[in-house]
Amino acid sequence: MESPPSRVLHIRKLPSEVSETEVIALGLPFGKVTNILMLKGKNQAFLELGTEEAAVTMVNYYTAVTPQVRNVPVFIQFSNHKELKTDSALNQRAQAVLQAVSAVQEGGSPNSDTSALDSVLAQAPSPVLRIIIDNMFYPVTLDVLQQIFSKFGTVMKIITFTKNNQFQALLQFSEPVNAQQARLSLDGQNIYNSCCTLRIDFSKLVNLNVKYNNDKSRDYTRPELPAGDGQPSLDPAMAAALNKDSSLLGTPSGMVAPYSSGGGFQSSLSYSQGGGAISPLSAAAAAAAAAGRVALSGHSGCSGVLLVSNLNEEMVTPQSLFTLFGVYGDAQRVKILYNKKDSALIQMSDGNQAQLAMSHLNGQKMYGKIIRVTLSKHQAVQLPREGLDDQGLTKDFTNSPLHRFKKPGSKNFQNIFPPSATLHLSNVPEDVTEEDLRQLFSNAGGTVKAFKFFQGHKMALLQMSTVEEAIQALMDLHNYDMGSNHHLKVSFSKSTI
């Protein structure tokens, strides 16, 4: 039985060792999380969002993209409860986590007069955190860690190393309470869109002994230390202690190959947040970034070329790929591969845009087939040599007037949403009626389920019956000439009608 929409969501089939932070993180991209109740024995949880609209958006998004927690698919539906009433004594820890996370989202430090929070923060055993990074498709540097963690207090020392094929770090704050705040807020978050997931635990060590200041280790309190060419940054006693340093998560399983699910959805993400990321520039931007709206500048560590495979080769054209990928960045060149026409290379204008497009479009259905989007090892898409006919398979869109993100700070950056059945239309001419638009979008293939004008008559929301139909309509009708020099603008919407 489907329950009617409610701001309380029921989450099922959670892995048994899941933490409150990971469950809260499922909701963060969609708005403020106001309450949580963990049913540990049943592998279930209830999550309450600030508004019903946020809950509807979250359910719609996770219906299209199955959320994963620790590589396990979980199920989310509306609860029969309209709000959560939780016994504060039983739920003290969860409330404290919630407060810590909300405070960080709002850019403050957690409110110090709350006894529940104090009791959780007081339990910090050490100022040293052990950090493991899962799904590390891009390099994470010592400087990036310092930027993210220093939001929570003074970072004194960092040591990075590789163990079990996995990048790990030890990071020492000046106070254990700062380490606890950082752990509560950052555990389970992604550093970059859809990858580099932080797994954070307390270390058994209470003090780090750093010998060299270089790109592997640093003591911020002793700038005079030598760089130590190629020396191991751990002394042998520390290395031995590290090998004993156990974690809540057991031994890490090493790197997960990108997108190894075969089923199109992002199995490798610990939870597929809608492109969830913490901007290294400010952890307070976590909520906006998680909604895929904060492009990280200069930290992407990848070239910006995507490989798209499993395309419908009868239907796909460079123009349709340009239009769809153009929702998440400015596609510069598109090449459908001559010997393998179900695959294409798409060069975006930078690595951030490539990551955004990958995290939103991998696993979506286009012309009846689930497409796979991964990062290509190519640095650029080559144009065919002068005079060589490649049957129109390669197109250069460098000077296209249709790029959505040319202007720095363009408001389009705030309107990047996952593919959804509801489309946002703008630049609608005065004399065009609802009937005209319904007819136009039905002709694109599919059924128009709902429609409404807003902002006078200039904009509209139009809901197709599936996300796949909406993707097709966007590819066919974005920039459609409505006459009298009005070209229709089509985007995915986060609203429902």
Side-chain angles (χ1 to χ4, degrees):
M1 230 342 252
E2 294 258 318
S3 301
S6 153
R7 62 195 188 96
V8 179
L9 301 175
H10 182 205
I11 304 172
R12 294 176 296 124
K13 302 213 174 157
L14 286 161
S16 44
E17 69 280 13
V18 70
S19 71
E20 285 91 346
T21 318
E22 288 169 290
V23 176
I24 292 170
L26 288 167
L28 277 185
F30 304 94
K32 194 167 168 50
V33 175
T34 47
N35 209 343
I36 176 173
L37 176 62
M38 302 284 282
L39 307 175
K40 280 273 167 68
K42 289 179 151 177
N43 299 70
Q44 297 182 6
F46 288 98
L47 196 66
E48 179 188 278
L49 275 80
T51 64
E52 191 176 295
E53 186 191 18
V56 170
T57 308
M58 176 167 162
V59 169
N60 286 349
Y61 179 66
Y62 286 136
T63 307
V65 179
T66 306
Q68 309 247 349
V69 176
R70 303 197 181 199
N71 295 336
V72 176
V74 299
F75 297 89
I76 299 182
Q77 64 198 56
F78 295 115
S79 161
N80 301 327
H81 302 289
K82 285 295 172 210
E83 61 178 310
L84 275 186
K85 295 195 170 46
T86 44
D87 175 335
S88 59
L90 289 176
N91 208 27
Q92 206 174 30
R93 184 190 142 75
Q95 293 302 313
V97 172
L98 201 56
Q99 281 177 303
V101 172
S102 326
V104 171
Q105 266 193 291
E106 284 152 22
S109 60
N111 183 352
S112 56
D113 60 19
T114 52
S115 56
L117 186 58
D118 282 352
S119 67
V120 170
L121 293 177
Q123 294 159 12
S126 155
V128 180
L129 293 175
R130 186 176 88 144
I131 300 157
I132 294 176
I133 298 192
D134 278 344
N135 310 318
M136 191 157 130
F137 308 152
Y138 309 106
V140 171
T141 62
L142 188 138
D143 294 321
V144 167
L145 291 175
Q146 196 266 341
Q147 270 182 310
I148 294 171
F149 282 83
S150 56
K151 168 114 184 44
F152 298 91
T154 308
V155 173
M156 317 266 291
K157 304 168 188 178
I158 305 180
I159 295 173
T160 63
F161 54 98
T162 301
K163 179 179 161 190
N164 303 344
N165 271 342
Q166 208 159 20
F167 177 85
Q168 303 195 13
L170 292 168
L171 182 144
Q172 182 173 341
F173 279 103
S174 51
E175 300 292 331
V177 60
N178 303 124
Q180 179 71 296
Q181 285 180 0
R183 189 178 74 93
L184 288 173
S185 301
L186 297 176
D187 184 34
Q189 297 272 16
N190 295 340
I191 298 180
Y192 297 128
N193 281 340
S194 307
C195 71
C196 302
T197 309
L198 292 163
R199 297 269 165 247
I200 304 172
D201 222 339
F202 286 106
S203 167
K204 294 213 170 26
L205 302 165
V206 289
N207 185 35
L208 298 180
N209 178 15
V210 176
K211 296 188 163 176
Y212 303 106
N213 281 343
N214 54 30
D215 58 356
K216 301 268 188 298
S217 64
R218 204 159 300 164
D219 184 336
Y220 294 95
T221 62
R222 300 179 60 203
E224 74 287 352
L225 287 176
D229 296 332
Q231 293 292 328
S233 48
L234 292 178
D235 63 20
M238 285 283 283
L242 276 180
N243 286 329
K244 294 197 201 68
D245 198 0
S246 65
S247 73
L248 292 172
L249 309 180
T251 19
S253 55
M255 277 282 287
V256 181
Y259 309 112
S260 54
S261 64
F265 286 132
Q266 305 158 319
S267 70
S268 53
L269 308 189
S270 309
Y271 43 78
S272 321
Q273 278 210 28
I278 295 170
S279 151
L281 312 174
S282 123
R293 300 178 197 180
V294 174
L296 311 181
S297 53
H299 276 296
S300 64
C302 71
S303 67
V305 179
L306 295 167
L307 172 65
V308 188
S309 53
N310 203 39
L311 292 163
N312 179 334
E313 51 186 278
E314 303 298 311
M315 304 287 290
V316 72
T317 61
Q319 183 66 47
S320 61
L321 289 168
F322 166 74
T323 305
L324 178 58
F325 281 74
V327 172
Y328 300 104
D330 293 337
Q332 304 293 319
R333 292 176 178 178
V334 179
K335 179 191 283 289
I336 293 173
L337 304 184
Y338 190 81
N339 300 328
K340 197 171 180 325
K341 293 195 172 63
D342 70 346
S343 299
L345 291 171
I346 301 178
Q347 181 178 334
M348 306 300 282
S349 45
D350 62 37
N352 299 318
Q353 294 185 357
Q355 280 173 57
L356 265 180
M358 176 174 80
S359 64
H360 285 88
L361 295 174
N362 180 54
Q364 295 291 348
K365 254 184 158 179
M366 174 177 171
Y367 297 130
K369 298 186 75 173
I370 289 177
I371 62 170
R372 302 279 308 272
V373 185
T374 55
L375 293 168
S376 162
K377 52 186 186 303
H378 291 282
Q379 293 301 303
V381 169
Q382 300 302 320
L383 294 176
R385 288 197 302 282
E386 279 296 312
L388 190 74
D389 174 28
D390 80 337
Q391 306 171 355
L393 294 175
T394 310
K395 273 224 168 342
D396 186 359
F397 293 99
T398 314
N399 299 318
S400 166
L402 297 184
H403 288 154
R404 294 180 191 236
F405 305 101
K406 273 204 301 279
K407 291 196 196 77
S410 151
K411 68 174 185 302
N412 289 342
F413 281 109
Q414 273 114 57
N415 294 320
I416 295 175
F417 300 111
S420 59
T422 306
L423 296 168
H424 178 278
L425 317 182
S426 59
N427 211 21
V428 179
E430 285 295 314
D431 54 353
V432 167
T433 64
E434 171 175 338
E435 200 35 59
D436 295 333
L437 288 166
R438 279 177 175 268
Q439 187 65 51
L440 180 66
F441 278 77
S442 304
N443 293 347
T447 314
V448 176
K449 288 185 67 177
F451 181 93
K452 73 168 186 209
F453 275 122
F454 63 101
Q455 290 271 332
H457 190 94
K458 295 193 190 66
M459 295 186 185
L461 289 177
L462 178 142
Q463 187 180 342
M464 303 298 288
S465 60
T466 64
V467 175
E468 183 188 357
E469 286 179 8
I471 287 176
Q472 181 155 340
L474 181 139
M475 291 189 298
D476 292 349
L477 296 173
H478 177 61
N479 200 46
Y480 182 83
D481 188 350
M482 304 287 295
S484 60
N485 210 11
H486 278 79
H487 288 265
L488 190 63
K489 299 269 175 288
V490 185
S491 312
F492 297 115
S493 169
K494 71 171 190 308
S495 310
T496 46
I497 305 173

